[in-house]
Amino acid sequence: MVASQVACQYDFPNSNADLEAKKDLSAHDLVSPGRKWLVVNFRQMAVTDSQTEHVSEIEAALLDAELFMKYQAPERAIKRLKTALEMNGRSIKLRERLREICAANKQTEEAARHCLSLASIYIEREDFDTAHDRLLEAKQLDDRINIAKGLEAIRRARRPDLKPTPAAEANFERKHFTLAGDLSAISVFDAIQVIENARLNGVLTLSGSDHEGQVKFNDGRIVDASCGGESGDLGFQRVVEITNGTFEFQKSSEQFPTRIQALSNTNLILDTLRMLDERKQ
């Protein structure tokens, strides 16, 4: 209701086609696909009709969204950007602006979903640092969201040598475990997410083909790890490299000494993946 009243008061343009278009005849020509203008310097490049329509629709939507935001109509800005996104689903500009507006207007679930989509696009483009940021932001916006798939995608992209392989035969020695599985089907990140959400105390044991590792949790937070003769942060780095075999989690009534200091499990994992990549290089 508020948005519609504001729109009526200020008579928002439906697109930037309603704005005055100017052209510099000395250096540019104007291309008009339908109702939108795009200024193109033909001395530098040639633009097809489809490319022009694609670029002009994204720019038009961004401009319209800025006008809506200027007049305090975020719902209309979001709707305009979503409409453009339906035809340009891989546009980073559209998704980034949607993420910003949704987050600023307390639509945290929507903002978190766009963060996940952006992380996927950035991973494909091998922009891992930005992908890290978007995954971390998604978790901060909505703690319930599962970012394990994104973390696994980053691990595979950064370290293709750590490709998961099925366990020859699942052999669970412990009889009273809370959680167990095959690491080729359920990544260590999925297991950590479950333990974190349930706020459990206990030990996650990973049994790989080469070595065994353990991660200790207090109320779902990682506080220590050991693997390959290393402990603490170095031990956790070795644990993350285990991609085959099985895992088991056993609850504990006691808490463990804290040897790993991190703002969150997500921060720890992302920092560890970054260090693994640097060490590999």
Side-chain angles (χ1 to χ4, degrees):
M1 179 65 71
V2 175
S4 61
Q5 291 174 349
V6 173
C8 179
Q9 180 180 356
Y10 290 100
D11 189 23
F12 286 111
N14 290 325
S15 75
N16 68 333
D18 297 328
L19 303 177
E20 182 182 3
K22 297 181 180 181
K23 61 180 178 178
D24 182 356
L25 296 177
S26 63
H28 297 81
D29 289 327
L30 288 175
V31 178
S32 176
R35 62 183 177 84
K36 302 177 181 67
W37 294 94
L38 178 67
V39 179
V40 181
N41 188 338
F42 285 101
R43 295 177 182 176
Q44 297 179 356
M45 63 180 293
V47 179
T48 65
D49 290 341
S50 61
Q51 288 174 324
T52 300
E53 292 172 3
H54 174 76
V55 174
S56 62
E57 169 60 16
I58 293 174
E59 298 304 325
L62 290 169
L63 179 57
D64 291 346
E66 293 311 309
L67 290 175
F68 289 134
M69 291 302 296
K70 179 179 179 180
Y71 295 110
Q72 300 180 356
E75 292 296 334
R76 295 197 67 179
I78 292 172
K79 183 178 180 181
R80 178 69 180 94
L81 291 171
K82 282 185 175 179
T83 300
L85 196 61
E86 290 176 0
M87 299 297 294
N88 305 279
R90 307 292 295 176
S91 171
I92 289 179
K93 287 184 178 180
L94 291 175
R95 285 201 183 274
E96 285 286 10
R97 192 63 184 120
L98 262 173
R99 173 189 66 82
E100 293 171 356
I101 295 175
C102 290
N105 289 275
K106 299 181 179 181
Q107 297 190 25
T108 54
E109 292 184 19
E110 181 81 11
R113 285 196 293 270
H114 288 298
C115 283
L116 291 180
S117 297
L118 284 164
S120 177
I121 295 173
Y122 285 127
I123 290 171
E124 290 178 5
R125 298 188 179 194
E126 297 186 353
D127 186 354
F128 299 121
D129 288 339
T130 310
H132 287 166
D133 293 340
R134 292 296 167 265
L135 285 176
L136 188 59
E137 184 177 353
K139 192 65 174 176
Q140 292 171 341
L141 287 166
D142 188 353
D143 189 57
R144 301 167 301 171
I145 205 164
N146 190 334
I147 63 171
K149 289 184 179 179
L151 296 172
E152 178 64 17
I154 288 179
R155 178 170 68 174
R156 293 187 185 188
R158 282 191 178 275
R159 294 290 303 275
D161 56 308
L162 299 179
K163 183 179 179 180
T165 56
E169 182 179 354
N171 181 22
F172 302 108
E173 297 178 358
R174 298 167 179 82
K175 301 300 182 182
H176 302 288
F177 49 77
T178 304
L179 179 70
D182 186 334
L183 286 169
S184 67
I186 304 174
S187 74
V188 62
F189 307 128
D190 284 302
I192 290 173
Q193 179 90 54
V194 172
I195 297 167
E196 179 180 3
N197 290 344
R199 300 182 182 277
L200 299 174
N201 293 339
V203 179
L204 177 67
T205 301
L206 294 86
S207 301
S209 58
D210 298 326
H211 43 258
E212 182 175 283
Q214 291 187 333
V215 182
K216 296 179 180 178
F217 295 80
N218 289 343
D219 299 321
R221 292 287 296 272
I222 297 172
V223 294
D224 195 9
S226 60
C227 184
E230 304 286 356
S231 61
D233 292 287
L234 291 176
F236 188 70
Q237 290 181 32
R238 298 294 299 274
V239 165
V240 170
E241 292 180 311
I242 302 176
T243 57
N244 56 61
T246 61
F247 68 86
E248 302 172 8
F249 178 77
Q250 287 185 305
K251 288 195 300 183
S252 171
S253 59
E254 300 179 357
Q255 294 200 330
F256 305 96
T258 301
R259 295 190 175 89
I260 293 178
Q261 299 285 349
L263 293 175
S264 68
N265 291 346
T266 302
N267 284 84
L268 174 63
I269 293 169
L270 291 173
D271 288 342
T272 300
L273 290 173
R274 186 180 292 110
M275 285 186 287
L276 285 176
D277 182 48
E278 293 173 354
R279 190 175 70 188
K280 182 68 175 180
Q281 293 177 353

